[in-house]
Amino acid sequence: MKLNIAVLSGDGIGPEVTDQAIKVLKAIALEFDHAFLFKEALVGAVAIDAHNNPLPDATLDLCKSSDAILFGAIGDPKYDNNPSALVRPEQGLLKLRKELGLFANIRPVRAYDTLLDKSPLKAEIIADTDISIYRELTGGIYFGEKKLSDDGNTASDLCEYSRYEIERIAHLAFKAAQTRRHKVTLVDKANVLETSRLWRKVVTELKSEYPDVALDFLFVDNAAMQMILNPRQFDVILTENLFGDVISDEASVIGGSIGLLASASVGDKYALFEPIHGSYPQATGKGIANPIASILSAAMLLEHFELHDEAEMIRTGVEKSLKLNITTPDLNSIYDNVTTSKVGDFIADFISNPNDTSINFSNIHLGQSTII
Ligand code: IPM
Ligand code: MG
């Protein structure tokens, strides 16, 4: 298969983790005889620095003419600490989501057996967790009208949803549940918010089209608690934009590191793949950022094009790296010299030598990129 992939690595650790995803995709292309062509463009703070625009036209054009987008991270402390900044890196990502109609953000959350002790939550609580979060991504309070009074003392953000916006993502969530454990949990705040009551009504109506899927409801405050009390109860979580943002960061604690959580943002025409973590500016250039979320996002990209064996190969490589402690310091208490790039090398090497059953601690030379 031939794929044109736009690479928007963005800010902070974005470029270093995205490099590892590209490395792994190149290994897949070689092994499975595909042609992946990568073209880079600026987004976020780096684009503001270069063009005073977090999403330059050239970047948007490249995305529109590509088959898929690999996204890194966005954000810079110099904007976070300046509430009066008119241009912000995050606007680049939000505009991209809107312009490309990426209305569904899918965030898988798993507890890996080998990492159960890395989570601050008890192993018996998180074991076997397997959740797929469907977060609405182009509506709600993120995109409603924003106001600030002339005296600067009153502000508001409008939260608006239409039936159509709810229906299109709800269909995807129900369909996903049909391939999983047949359960959708709608997370909302229907005891307070009108938009949430509309979500409940519309989703309940749609449910009749999916008789084999059970639907239940949780208020978001309760859902936040249930997520760490009993995460195994969840199969597919369906929720609106802001609740999904918050719940998915919380859910990352289950996996042991936010550096593991990948995501796909899809619409009718375009698809973008990105780790859920941010730009982690304190770690930039230190080689300590975990590239696995980015690498697993690349696996989701392949899955999107029905390249199932290829995606599975990446996931197996990731599991092997976790098992052998070829991981960055957020997960590693054994080796202190495993860098971002070495994790990428290991997984790419695994793809090139999948049948090398001799992979074990002693024959992995951590100082080099190859398995000897
Ligand atoms: C995410 C991020 C973004 C969001 C930011 C960077 C705008 O937190 O993808 O979860 O809030 O959607
Ligand atoms: Mg977020």
Side-chain angles (χ1 to χ4, degrees), residues 31-248:
E31 209 53 36
F32 289 82
D33 219 8
H34 298 304
F36 300 154
L37 192 71
F38 301 92
K39 281 199 189 144
E40 295 184 19
L42 295 177
V43 72
V46 289
I48 299 178
D49 292 345
H51 303 290
N52 203 27
N53 180 352
L55 184 66
D57 289 347
T59 302
L60 190 57
D61 290 347
L62 176 70
C63 292
K64 287 187 172 166
S65 63
S66 301
D67 299 303
I69 302 146
L70 200 55
F71 196 93
I74 209 155
D76 189 298
K78 71 182 175 206
Y79 300 96
D80 296 345
N81 303 329
N82 175 10
S84 53
L86 291 177
V87 193
R88 306 181 159 275
E90 290 77 7
Q91 290 164 345
L93 180 56
L94 297 178
K95 184 166 178 216
L96 193 60
R97 289 172 178 170
K98 195 73 173 176
E99 292 274 335
L100 301 180
L102 306 173
F103 63 85
N105 183 221
I106 302 149
R107 300 184 158 183
V109 178
R110 272 186 57 194
Y112 290 93
D113 284 345
T114 45
L115 296 180
L116 290 180
D117 63 330
K118 303 287 186 222
S119 171
L121 303 173
K122 291 195 181 95
E124 64 264 31
I125 288 189
I126 58 173
D128 299 321
T129 298
D130 179 359
I131 306 173
S132 191
I133 300 177
Y134 275 65
R135 167 189 176 195
E136 200 290 328
L137 202 59
T138 52
I141 199 164
Y142 271 59
F143 292 93
E145 189 187 355
K146 303 191 181 307
K147 284 194 203 156
L148 181 63
S149 64
D150 289 342
D151 66 5
N153 291 328
T154 308
S156 71
D157 298 273
L158 181 69
C159 182
E160 213 168 15
Y161 268 110
S162 67
R163 167 178 285 272
Y164 166 71
E165 288 175 301
I166 299 167
E167 276 178 359
R168 59 185 181 174
I169 184 162
H171 278 299
L172 294 185
F174 279 120
K175 285 187 181 129
Q178 285 181 318
T179 68
R180 295 171 48 93
R181 299 193 311 281
H182 301 266
K183 181 177 166 189
V184 170
T185 303
L186 175 64
V187 170
D188 63 23
K189 188 72 186 172
N191 50 347
V192 177
L193 301 177
E194 204 57 52
T195 41
S196 286
R197 288 191 276 273
L198 183 64
W199 272 81
R200 272 203 193 199
K201 181 168 177 276
V202 171
V203 174
T204 305
E205 282 169 21
L206 280 198
K207 197 238 160 284
S208 59
E209 293 178 38
Y210 302 91
D212 55 335
V213 179
L215 172 66
D216 68 358
F217 309 96
L218 275 185
F219 296 141
V220 62
D221 46 354
N222 187 12
M225 182 173 70
Q226 296 297 330
M227 182 63 81
I228 50 177
L229 270 183
N230 178 14
R232 267 191 301 269
Q233 70 183 285
F234 296 115
D235 178 17
V236 173
I237 290 180
L238 167 63
T239 192
E240 58 101 80
N241 204 343
L242 181 60
F243 298 159
D245 181 44
V246 176
I247 287 277
S248 56

